[in-house]
Amino acid sequence: MAEIQLIQGDITQSDCDAIVNAANAIMLGGGGVDGAIHRAAGPKLLEECRKVKAIDGIRCPAGEARITPAGDLKAKFVIHTVGPRFGIDSEPDQLLGSAYQRSLELALEYSCQSIAFPAISCGAYGYPLDQAAKVSIRECLKYSSKLDICFYLFGAELLEIWRQELAR
Ligand code: AR6
């Protein structure tokens, strides 16, 4: 049985085929993990993001995902997804689940064998951590026989919350 791996650390160091970016809808960089990924990937990633079709400036609505090459990262691809802003977007669990699902589908479509996720929406977008862990693990378990999935969790608290959810 495939496993979901939990790692405490920086996702930019991952050598998975695809790393997932918790982006915003404009998809041209930002703070948090988005900023870290763009810094580590270099300007090529921003160039690739600019090529993604935008409608009224929106490249990726919440709950969807887009794929680009990964610039200078070890990964082959960056999958940019946008989680819900907790307390602002309606049906946040559904949107968060969809962000994971669309990312996993894209990874399979591009023949990736491994994918690394951060804790989408758990920083600037303010999602309750235990609720985010539940949604993310539930969606990832549906794909864990097809893909090696790992989470890069920033800090001991996040790691422990994901660990407990995975052990359920
Ligand atoms: N590796 C792994 N996780 C990280 C890293 C890293 N290098 N850096 C931060 N985290 P956030 P969101 C964790 O705010 O809530 C951006 O500005 C962080 O501790 O990055 O989805 C975008 O452009 C937290 O647990 O993403 C959007 O505007 C988790 O990654 C907005 O923030 C997600 O925090 C998206 O907000």
Side-chain angles (χ1 to χ4, degrees), residues 4-129:
I4 294 175
Q5 237 191 307
L6 306 179
I7 294 162
Q8 186 181 336
D10 178 4
I11 198 168
T12 65
Q13 300 307 306
S14 169
D15 57 8
C16 284
D17 292 338
I19 71 173
V20 176
N21 183 15
N24 58 61
I26 297 164
M27 235 189 85
L28 294 178
V33 73
D34 194 4
I37 288 173
H38 274 275
R39 275 193 301 279
K44 280 179 243 164
L45 182 60
L46 187 57
E47 244 173 72
E48 294 295 341
C49 288
R50 286 193 194 282
K51 292 183 198 164
V52 173
K53 191 182 168 206
I55 299 173
D56 294 333
I58 303 296
R59 287 181 180 72
C60 185
E64 295 193 18
R66 305 285 184 261
I67 193 165
T68 67
D72 295 337
L73 294 171
K74 280 182 260 181
K76 295 186 187 126
F77 301 105
V78 174
I79 295 175
H80 310 260
T81 191
V82 179
R85 296 162 300 170
F86 199 81
I88 298 176
D89 295 318
S90 54
E91 304 205 53
D93 280 4
Q94 194 263 327
L95 280 177
L96 186 62
S98 169
Y100 279 97
Q101 218 177 87
R102 298 295 189 96
S103 300
L104 290 156
E105 289 292 345
L106 265 180
L108 287 175
E109 198 182 311
Y110 280 74
S111 303
C112 295
Q113 288 175 356
S114 53
I115 183 170
F117 282 102
I120 299 165
S121 283
C122 289
Y125 284 179
Y127 221 91
L129 304 181

